[in-house]
Amino acid sequence: MTWTSHDAARPPRMTGRRSLPVLRPGDPFPPLAQAWPGQSPAPGLVAAGGALDVPTLRAAYSSTIFPWFSEGEPILWWSPDPRMVLQVAQYRVRRSLRKALQRFRDDPACEVRVDSAFTDVIEACAGAARPGQSGTWIGPDMRAAYVALHRAGHAHSVETWVQGRLVAGLYCVTIGRAVFGESMFTHVADGSKIALSALVALCRAQGLPLIDCQQNTRHLAFMGAAEMPRAEFARCVATLAAQPTPAWHFDPVYWSEVLPTRSHPNQ
């Protein structure tokens, strides 16, 4: 299942002679208006270099910027325009998925856990096969960076467990009340869709209005995501990032946010 753009493909290779700011560790990011435009070889590219430490990643995500690069490349920082965003109120649960979610919810051997196996989730995402992709953008440096961000309380995993075994999951970044999707994996049918539905349910229950999906794909649009101008998205993120982060956990009662209650068996 493809969630974000960088699940779907490796970063584009740098070509041409466009100017690109090269950051030293601790340097601020350039203004978003300086990002490479849509007609360039790498639309949304903001800068190269810098560091993958927690303060830099917090500053990046707070400014709608995220790292994405392949092994052997410098750190590359991106902020696409427009931005693909899932407003959680618009998330679509199709009939087949609704039935899978109901079976999962009602089976005592199945559960959603949050942050119980973050490192295992990111390792599984890094090793997941992607159509048309021979490698992964989630290299050792990226994995270490997001584990550190998790330990600092700004990255979370939502996990699908069946009979005590981790079978699917996703991880995301949170700054205040802003949520940024990163990657997902599954070893079973519908596993990652269940994890994503659980994330949406959690966001609805906690009043978190949107999940950043980064770039447009048909699959994301099918789920209810839509493009938003980067400037508008940046304003939303600035507002949400300044707010307190809610408790990050999943309560089974949250399933009522995406599923009909058990009192309506014919739905």
Side-chain angles (χ1 to χ4, degrees):
M1 177 181 177
T2 297
W3 183 12
T4 65
S5 61
H6 53 242
D7 262 354
R10 297 171 70 85
R13 294 195 176 277
M14 300 303 97
T15 59
R17 295 181 177 274
R18 289 192 60 90
S19 174
L20 180 67
V22 177
L23 308 178
R24 296 169 298 180
D27 283 350
F29 290 100
L32 295 178
Q34 295 181 17
W36 285 18
Q39 67 272 22
S40 69
L45 183 60
V46 174
L52 288 174
D53 56 26
V54 170
T56 301
L57 287 169
R58 285 191 58 186
Y61 279 95
S62 297
S63 300
T64 76
I65 297 168
F66 58 87
W68 184 32
F69 60 97
S70 297
E71 293 258 13
E73 290 183 338
I75 303 170
L76 299 176
W77 301 93
W78 305 77
S79 184
D81 187 16
R83 195 67 161 245
M84 197 68 166
V85 177
L86 176 61
Q87 305 280 354
V88 298
Q90 303 302 317
Y91 181 63
R92 300 183 187 130
V93 180
R94 304 293 179 175
R95 183 178 180 183
S96 60
L97 176 58
R98 186 170 71 244
K99 290 182 177 180
L101 291 174
Q102 289 171 323
R103 289 193 298 270
F104 184 91
R105 177 196 62 186
D106 297 340
D107 188 339
C110 299
E111 62 177 319
V112 170
R113 301 181 190 175
V114 171
D115 289 341
S116 75
F118 183 89
T119 300
D120 292 337
V121 168
I122 197 170
E123 293 284 350
C125 289
R130 315 289 182 191
Q133 184 176 345
S134 59
T136 178
W137 61 274
I138 314 174
D141 291 344
M142 290 283 272
R143 295 198 293 274
Y146 284 95
V147 168
L149 199 61
H150 167 65
R151 290 172 178 162
H154 298 293
H156 302 280
S157 57
V158 178
E159 308 149 9
T160 305
W161 290 78
V162 177
Q163 295 182 336
R165 184 169 68 94
L166 176 65
V167 298
L170 60 86
Y171 71 98
C172 58
V173 171
T174 59
I175 307 293
R177 301 181 75 83
V179 181
F180 306 85
E182 284 299 316
S183 189
M184 56 174 49
F185 81 97
T186 188
H187 297 316
V188 298
D190 295 323
S192 56
K193 294 178 184 178
I194 291 169
L196 177 56
S197 298
L199 174 61
V200 170
L202 186 159
C203 288
R204 288 180 177 178
Q206 296 281 6
L208 308 176
L210 57 81
I211 301 170
D212 174 36
C213 301
Q214 297 171 355
Q215 292 185 354
N216 193 343
T217 68
R218 185 170 62 179
H219 184 78
L220 290 170
F222 183 78
M223 293 190 298
E227 290 183 338
M228 178 184 292
R230 182 174 59 206
E232 179 183 351
F233 179 65
R235 288 192 294 270
C236 290
V237 168
T239 298
L240 293 169
Q243 298 175 12
T245 302
W248 199 260
H249 70 280
F250 186 86
D251 190 306
V253 72
Y254 292 172
W255 282 126
S256 63
E257 299 288 343
V258 294
L259 286 174
T261 63
R262 290 179 176 85
S263 61
H264 297 82
N266 294 326
Q267 286 187 287

